[in-house]
Amino acid sequence: MITPLNIQTTYPKVYIDRQLPKVTIDQYQCFAEAGLKNNTDFAKECVEYTNSQLSEGIDRIVSEGNRMASIEKRMPDAIPEIAFDNTFDNKDWNIDIIPKSMPKIDVEGYLNLEWEMGKLNFYKESVLNYKKGNEVGNSINMGL
């Protein structure tokens, strides 16, 4: 008669806590550099440009007035020179590559793994009894 082994098994357990990844790509700065801005930023840029053009115009008018005031100091060519300077626009040409900045990429999400090890318990007496009970004719060979 074969004596059964006395085995106690505790299976391993795995606990998985996860949040699926969420990728957020903000390309606003790249589009803004290409001239595609929202209304608020476009209005701010227009106000800044208008203020700079206003201050440059005031500076130009003041310098022309000071130059015309110095006609008394034997500078008779002031009016034709001012007219010639105001005739042509000086354009600055430049080649540029846009966008200069990279998009902002944020990744949210997590994966937490915790586990408990499993156990396998068997009793030595049962194994010895199992070895002693090997009476079926050498069909079971258990080497300890």
Side-chain angles (χ1 to χ4, degrees), residues 36-89:
L36 303 171
K37 299 179 182 178
N38 62 19
N39 294 336
T40 307
D41 291 339
F42 182 68
K44 287 179 186 177
E45 183 180 352
C46 288
V47 167
E48 290 173 5
Y49 178 75
T50 304
N51 287 338
S52 68
Q53 291 297 311
L54 177 68
S55 62
E56 287 177 13
I58 290 172
D59 289 341
R60 182 180 55 82
I61 291 171
V62 168
S63 66
E64 289 173 359
N66 290 338
R67 177 125 187 234
M68 291 179 72
S70 65
I71 289 177
E72 299 171 352
K73 298 179 184 176
R74 304 276 180 191
M75 297 185 76
D77 295 337
I79 294 176
E81 287 178 4
I82 292 172
F84 182 77
D85 290 341
N86 290 335
T87 303
F88 301 107
D89 283 339

Side-chain angles (χ1 to χ4, degrees), residues 121-137:
N121 295 328
F122 58 90
Y123 298 103
K124 190 173 184 180
E125 298 85 25
S126 298
V127 173
L128 292 177
N129 289 338
Y130 185 71
K131 275 192 122 178
K132 288 179 186 175
N134 191 0
E135 299 153 355
V136 178

